[in-house]
Every structure is written in C-alpha cells, then in structure tokens.
Short mmCIF file of all heavy atoms in Angstrom, two decimals:
data_model
loop_
_atom_site.label_atom_id
_atom_site.label_comp_id
_atom_site.label_asym_id
_atom_site.label_seq_id
_atom_site.Cartn_x
_atom_site.Cartn_y
_atom_site.Cartn_z
N MET A 243 -22.13 -38.52 -102.90
CA MET A 243 -22.32 -39.69 -103.74
C MET A 243 -20.93 -40.15 -104.26
O MET A 243 -20.19 -39.28 -104.76
CB MET A 243 -23.27 -39.49 -104.87
CG MET A 243 -23.46 -40.73 -105.77
SD MET A 243 -24.80 -40.55 -106.97
CE MET A 243 -26.20 -40.91 -105.95
N GLY A 244 -20.63 -41.42 -104.17
CA GLY A 244 -19.38 -41.89 -104.66
C GLY A 244 -19.50 -42.31 -106.14
O GLY A 244 -20.54 -42.28 -106.75
N HIS A 245 -18.40 -42.73 -106.71
CA HIS A 245 -18.35 -43.09 -108.15
C HIS A 245 -17.17 -44.07 -108.37
O HIS A 245 -16.03 -43.71 -108.18
CB HIS A 245 -18.14 -41.82 -109.00
CG HIS A 245 -18.20 -42.02 -110.44
ND1 HIS A 245 -18.69 -41.03 -111.31
CD2 HIS A 245 -17.85 -43.06 -111.29
CE1 HIS A 245 -18.63 -41.47 -112.60
NE2 HIS A 245 -18.10 -42.72 -112.54
N LEU A 246 -17.55 -45.31 -108.74
CA LEU A 246 -16.56 -46.34 -108.99
C LEU A 246 -16.68 -46.97 -110.35
O LEU A 246 -17.67 -46.72 -111.04
CB LEU A 246 -16.65 -47.45 -107.93
CG LEU A 246 -16.32 -47.12 -106.49
CD1 LEU A 246 -16.62 -48.28 -105.56
CD2 LEU A 246 -14.90 -46.67 -106.33
N GLY A 247 -15.71 -47.76 -110.76
CA GLY A 247 -15.66 -48.34 -112.10
C GLY A 247 -14.85 -47.45 -113.03
O GLY A 247 -13.69 -47.10 -112.67
N LEU A 248 -15.41 -47.05 -114.11
CA LEU A 248 -14.73 -46.10 -115.00
C LEU A 248 -14.91 -44.73 -114.42
O LEU A 248 -16.01 -44.23 -114.25
CB LEU A 248 -15.34 -46.17 -116.40
CG LEU A 248 -14.77 -45.11 -117.40
CD1 LEU A 248 -13.28 -45.33 -117.61
CD2 LEU A 248 -15.51 -45.15 -118.71
N THR A 249 -13.80 -44.13 -114.03
CA THR A 249 -13.85 -42.79 -113.45
C THR A 249 -13.15 -41.88 -114.45
O THR A 249 -11.88 -41.87 -114.54
CB THR A 249 -13.13 -42.74 -112.02
OG1 THR A 249 -11.85 -43.42 -112.17
CG2 THR A 249 -14.00 -43.46 -111.01
N PRO A 250 -13.86 -41.10 -115.25
CA PRO A 250 -13.32 -40.33 -116.34
C PRO A 250 -12.21 -39.35 -115.97
O PRO A 250 -11.35 -39.03 -116.83
CB PRO A 250 -14.53 -39.55 -116.91
CG PRO A 250 -15.66 -40.45 -116.58
CD PRO A 250 -15.40 -41.06 -115.22
N GLN A 251 -12.20 -38.88 -114.73
CA GLN A 251 -11.10 -37.99 -114.31
C GLN A 251 -9.73 -38.71 -114.31
O GLN A 251 -8.72 -38.06 -114.25
CB GLN A 251 -11.41 -37.34 -112.99
CG GLN A 251 -12.57 -36.34 -113.02
CD GLN A 251 -12.86 -35.74 -111.65
OE1 GLN A 251 -12.06 -35.88 -110.72
NE2 GLN A 251 -13.98 -35.06 -111.54
N SER A 252 -9.80 -40.03 -114.30
CA SER A 252 -8.55 -40.80 -114.28
C SER A 252 -8.24 -41.44 -115.68
O SER A 252 -7.56 -42.42 -115.79
CB SER A 252 -8.63 -41.96 -113.28
OG SER A 252 -8.91 -41.45 -111.98
N ILE A 253 -8.81 -40.83 -116.71
CA ILE A 253 -8.65 -41.39 -118.03
C ILE A 253 -7.24 -41.58 -118.52
O ILE A 253 -6.90 -42.60 -119.14
CB ILE A 253 -9.42 -40.51 -119.09
CG1 ILE A 253 -9.32 -41.12 -120.49
CG2 ILE A 253 -8.92 -39.07 -119.11
CD1 ILE A 253 -9.87 -42.51 -120.59
N HIS A 254 -6.30 -40.66 -118.14
CA HIS A 254 -4.98 -40.84 -118.56
C HIS A 254 -4.26 -42.00 -117.84
O HIS A 254 -3.32 -42.57 -118.37
CB HIS A 254 -4.20 -39.51 -118.35
CG HIS A 254 -4.68 -38.44 -119.25
ND1 HIS A 254 -4.80 -38.55 -120.61
CD2 HIS A 254 -5.09 -37.15 -118.92
CE1 HIS A 254 -5.25 -37.42 -121.12
NE2 HIS A 254 -5.46 -36.57 -120.11
N GLN A 255 -4.78 -42.30 -116.66
CA GLN A 255 -4.22 -43.46 -115.93
C GLN A 255 -4.77 -44.76 -116.54
O GLN A 255 -4.06 -45.71 -116.70
CB GLN A 255 -4.60 -43.41 -114.45
CG GLN A 255 -4.03 -44.53 -113.60
CD GLN A 255 -4.41 -44.39 -112.13
OE1 GLN A 255 -5.48 -43.86 -111.81
NE2 GLN A 255 -3.52 -44.84 -111.24
N PHE A 256 -6.11 -44.77 -116.83
CA PHE A 256 -6.70 -45.93 -117.49
C PHE A 256 -6.15 -46.20 -118.90
O PHE A 256 -5.97 -47.31 -119.34
CB PHE A 256 -8.20 -45.77 -117.54
CG PHE A 256 -8.92 -45.89 -116.23
CD1 PHE A 256 -9.98 -45.07 -115.89
CD2 PHE A 256 -8.51 -46.84 -115.28
CE1 PHE A 256 -10.58 -45.14 -114.68
CE2 PHE A 256 -9.15 -46.96 -114.06
CZ PHE A 256 -10.17 -46.11 -113.74
N GLY A 257 -5.98 -45.09 -119.62
CA GLY A 257 -5.46 -45.23 -121.00
C GLY A 257 -6.63 -45.33 -122.02
O GLY A 257 -6.34 -45.24 -123.25
N SER A 258 -7.84 -45.63 -121.58
CA SER A 258 -8.97 -45.77 -122.46
C SER A 258 -10.23 -45.73 -121.64
O SER A 258 -10.19 -45.72 -120.42
CB SER A 258 -8.91 -47.03 -123.27
OG SER A 258 -9.27 -48.16 -122.45
N TYR A 259 -11.37 -45.67 -122.34
CA TYR A 259 -12.68 -45.65 -121.66
C TYR A 259 -13.29 -47.04 -121.64
O TYR A 259 -14.49 -47.22 -121.75
CB TYR A 259 -13.62 -44.67 -122.35
CG TYR A 259 -13.30 -43.21 -122.15
CD1 TYR A 259 -12.68 -42.54 -123.20
CD2 TYR A 259 -13.55 -42.56 -120.97
CE1 TYR A 259 -12.38 -41.15 -123.02
CE2 TYR A 259 -13.21 -41.22 -120.78
CZ TYR A 259 -12.63 -40.53 -121.82
OH TYR A 259 -12.29 -39.24 -121.62
N GLY A 260 -12.43 -48.09 -121.55
CA GLY A 260 -12.85 -49.44 -121.59
C GLY A 260 -13.56 -49.93 -120.35
O GLY A 260 -13.62 -49.25 -119.33
N LEU A 261 -14.09 -51.15 -120.42
CA LEU A 261 -14.79 -51.78 -119.32
C LEU A 261 -13.90 -51.99 -118.12
O LEU A 261 -12.75 -52.38 -118.28
CB LEU A 261 -15.33 -53.13 -119.78
CG LEU A 261 -16.29 -53.88 -118.85
CD1 LEU A 261 -17.59 -53.17 -118.76
CD2 LEU A 261 -16.45 -55.33 -119.37
N GLN A 262 -14.38 -51.69 -116.93
CA GLN A 262 -13.69 -51.83 -115.72
C GLN A 262 -14.25 -52.98 -114.85
O GLN A 262 -15.33 -53.48 -115.13
CB GLN A 262 -13.72 -50.53 -114.88
CG GLN A 262 -13.18 -49.34 -115.62
CD GLN A 262 -11.69 -49.45 -116.01
OE1 GLN A 262 -10.89 -49.79 -115.15
NE2 GLN A 262 -11.41 -49.20 -117.29
N GLY A 263 -13.47 -53.46 -113.85
CA GLY A 263 -13.96 -54.47 -112.95
C GLY A 263 -13.94 -55.83 -113.57
O GLY A 263 -14.65 -56.77 -113.15
N LYS A 264 -13.15 -56.04 -114.61
CA LYS A 264 -13.01 -57.35 -115.28
C LYS A 264 -12.08 -58.22 -114.50
O LYS A 264 -11.00 -57.78 -114.05
CB LYS A 264 -12.51 -57.19 -116.74
CG LYS A 264 -13.46 -56.45 -117.65
CD LYS A 264 -12.89 -56.39 -119.07
CE LYS A 264 -11.67 -55.51 -119.13
NZ LYS A 264 -11.19 -55.37 -120.55
N GLY A 265 -12.41 -59.47 -114.34
CA GLY A 265 -11.57 -60.39 -113.58
C GLY A 265 -11.90 -60.41 -112.11
O GLY A 265 -12.45 -59.46 -111.58
N GLU A 266 -11.59 -61.53 -111.50
CA GLU A 266 -11.94 -61.73 -110.07
C GLU A 266 -11.29 -60.71 -109.15
O GLU A 266 -11.93 -60.18 -108.26
CB GLU A 266 -11.54 -63.16 -109.66
CG GLU A 266 -12.01 -63.51 -108.28
CD GLU A 266 -11.67 -64.96 -107.90
OE1 GLU A 266 -11.37 -65.77 -108.82
OE2 GLU A 266 -11.74 -65.31 -106.73
N GLU A 267 -9.99 -60.42 -109.35
CA GLU A 267 -9.32 -59.49 -108.49
C GLU A 267 -9.87 -58.13 -108.57
O GLU A 267 -10.10 -57.44 -107.56
CB GLU A 267 -7.80 -59.54 -108.84
CG GLU A 267 -6.99 -58.62 -107.94
CD GLU A 267 -5.50 -58.66 -108.28
OE1 GLU A 267 -5.09 -59.59 -109.09
OE2 GLU A 267 -4.73 -57.81 -107.77
N ALA A 268 -10.13 -57.66 -109.82
CA ALA A 268 -10.66 -56.30 -110.01
C ALA A 268 -12.07 -56.20 -109.43
O ALA A 268 -12.43 -55.17 -108.83
CB ALA A 268 -10.70 -55.93 -111.50
N ALA A 269 -12.85 -57.27 -109.62
CA ALA A 269 -14.22 -57.27 -109.07
C ALA A 269 -14.21 -57.23 -107.52
O ALA A 269 -15.02 -56.45 -106.94
CB ALA A 269 -14.95 -58.54 -109.58
N GLU A 270 -13.33 -58.00 -106.91
CA GLU A 270 -13.26 -57.99 -105.45
C GLU A 270 -12.84 -56.64 -104.90
O GLU A 270 -13.36 -56.18 -103.90
CB GLU A 270 -12.30 -59.07 -105.01
CG GLU A 270 -12.86 -60.50 -105.20
CD GLU A 270 -11.87 -61.58 -104.73
OE1 GLU A 270 -10.75 -61.18 -104.27
OE2 GLU A 270 -12.20 -62.77 -104.77
N LYS A 271 -11.92 -55.99 -105.64
CA LYS A 271 -11.48 -54.64 -105.23
C LYS A 271 -12.61 -53.65 -105.30
O LYS A 271 -12.78 -52.84 -104.38
CB LYS A 271 -10.31 -54.18 -106.09
CG LYS A 271 -9.73 -52.83 -105.74
CD LYS A 271 -8.54 -52.50 -106.63
CE LYS A 271 -7.88 -51.18 -106.21
NZ LYS A 271 -8.77 -50.01 -106.43
N LEU A 272 -13.39 -53.76 -106.38
CA LEU A 272 -14.49 -52.82 -106.49
C LEU A 272 -15.56 -52.99 -105.42
O LEU A 272 -16.03 -52.04 -104.89
CB LEU A 272 -15.12 -52.95 -107.91
CG LEU A 272 -16.07 -51.81 -108.30
CD1 LEU A 272 -15.96 -51.48 -109.75
CD2 LEU A 272 -17.53 -52.18 -107.98
N ILE A 273 -15.90 -54.23 -105.12
CA ILE A 273 -16.85 -54.51 -104.05
C ILE A 273 -16.35 -54.03 -102.70
O ILE A 273 -17.08 -53.39 -101.96
CB ILE A 273 -17.14 -56.05 -103.97
CG1 ILE A 273 -17.87 -56.44 -105.28
CG2 ILE A 273 -18.00 -56.36 -102.75
CD1 ILE A 273 -18.03 -57.99 -105.37
N LYS A 274 -15.08 -54.25 -102.42
CA LYS A 274 -14.45 -53.76 -101.19
C LYS A 274 -14.53 -52.26 -101.08
O LYS A 274 -14.89 -51.74 -100.01
CB LYS A 274 -13.00 -54.26 -101.14
CG LYS A 274 -12.26 -53.74 -99.91
CD LYS A 274 -10.79 -54.20 -99.95
CE LYS A 274 -10.00 -53.63 -98.81
NZ LYS A 274 -8.54 -53.96 -98.85
N GLU A 275 -14.23 -51.59 -102.18
CA GLU A 275 -14.25 -50.13 -102.14
C GLU A 275 -15.70 -49.59 -102.02
O GLU A 275 -15.93 -48.54 -101.40
CB GLU A 275 -13.53 -49.57 -103.34
CG GLU A 275 -12.05 -49.78 -103.35
CD GLU A 275 -11.30 -49.02 -104.39
OE1 GLU A 275 -11.76 -48.96 -105.53
OE2 GLU A 275 -10.22 -48.46 -104.04
N ALA A 276 -16.65 -50.27 -102.64
CA ALA A 276 -18.05 -49.89 -102.54
C ALA A 276 -18.52 -49.93 -101.10
O ALA A 276 -19.15 -48.97 -100.60
CB ALA A 276 -18.92 -50.77 -103.44
N LEU A 277 -18.15 -50.99 -100.41
CA LEU A 277 -18.52 -51.13 -99.02
C LEU A 277 -17.81 -50.09 -98.16
O LEU A 277 -18.36 -49.53 -97.21
CB LEU A 277 -18.21 -52.53 -98.49
CG LEU A 277 -19.08 -53.68 -99.10
CD1 LEU A 277 -18.49 -55.03 -98.77
CD2 LEU A 277 -20.51 -53.52 -98.54
N MET A 278 -16.60 -49.75 -98.53
CA MET A 278 -15.81 -48.78 -97.84
C MET A 278 -16.43 -47.39 -97.97
O MET A 278 -16.52 -46.61 -97.01
CB MET A 278 -14.37 -48.75 -98.46
CG MET A 278 -13.41 -47.91 -97.72
SD MET A 278 -11.75 -47.95 -98.55
CE MET A 278 -11.41 -49.71 -98.51
N LEU A 279 -16.91 -47.06 -99.18
CA LEU A 279 -17.59 -45.76 -99.41
C LEU A 279 -18.89 -45.66 -98.62
O LEU A 279 -19.23 -44.60 -98.09
CB LEU A 279 -17.80 -45.54 -100.91
CG LEU A 279 -16.52 -45.40 -101.77
CD1 LEU A 279 -16.92 -45.02 -103.20
CD2 LEU A 279 -15.57 -44.36 -101.21
N GLN A 280 -19.61 -46.74 -98.59
CA GLN A 280 -20.86 -46.78 -97.79
C GLN A 280 -20.54 -46.51 -96.32
O GLN A 280 -21.20 -45.72 -95.66
CB GLN A 280 -21.51 -48.12 -97.97
CG GLN A 280 -22.81 -48.25 -97.13
CD GLN A 280 -23.50 -49.59 -97.40
OE1 GLN A 280 -24.45 -49.66 -98.12
NE2 GLN A 280 -23.04 -50.64 -96.70
N GLU A 281 -19.50 -47.18 -95.84
CA GLU A 281 -19.12 -47.01 -94.43
C GLU A 281 -18.66 -45.61 -94.15
O GLU A 281 -18.86 -45.07 -93.06
CB GLU A 281 -18.00 -48.00 -94.06
CG GLU A 281 -17.54 -47.98 -92.62
CD GLU A 281 -18.58 -48.40 -91.65
OE1 GLU A 281 -19.50 -49.14 -92.04
OE2 GLU A 281 -18.49 -48.00 -90.48
N ALA A 282 -18.08 -44.95 -95.14
CA ALA A 282 -17.56 -43.57 -95.00
C ALA A 282 -18.73 -42.55 -95.03
O ALA A 282 -18.48 -41.36 -94.76
CB ALA A 282 -16.59 -43.25 -96.10
#
C-alpha cells in the first residue's frame, strides 16, 4: 500500500505537519504519483 500527501517520515523535510497538495502544481504532482504507484 502506498502513502502520499503528508508523509510523517519526511517531517524534517516538510518542516511541519501542515496541509499538503495545495496549489495546482502540487495537486498535479500528487495525482501523477498516485497513478504511478497504481501502475507499480
């Protein structure tokens, strides 16, 4: 099972536990990666 959006193991990279996928570019990236994980 995959896990996208806020990924707690990357908390130091994110800098906070804030909302992810905000904005058109971030949303498109998340959708692309979701389809990629399904294909994998």
Side-chain angles (χ1 to χ4, degrees):
M243 178 171 279
H245 185 148
L246 293 175
L248 177 62
T249 48
Q251 290 180 12
S252 302
I253 181 57
H254 294 308
Q255 183 179 32
F256 288 140
S258 74
Y259 290 103
L261 188 70
Q262 302 298 311
K264 295 183 293 184
E266 185 177 345
E267 183 177 348
E270 288 181 358
K271 181 177 185 294
L272 192 143
I273 294 172
K274 176 184 176 182
E275 290 191 316
L277 291 168
M278 188 182 301
L279 294 185
Q280 177 177 262
E281 182 66 23

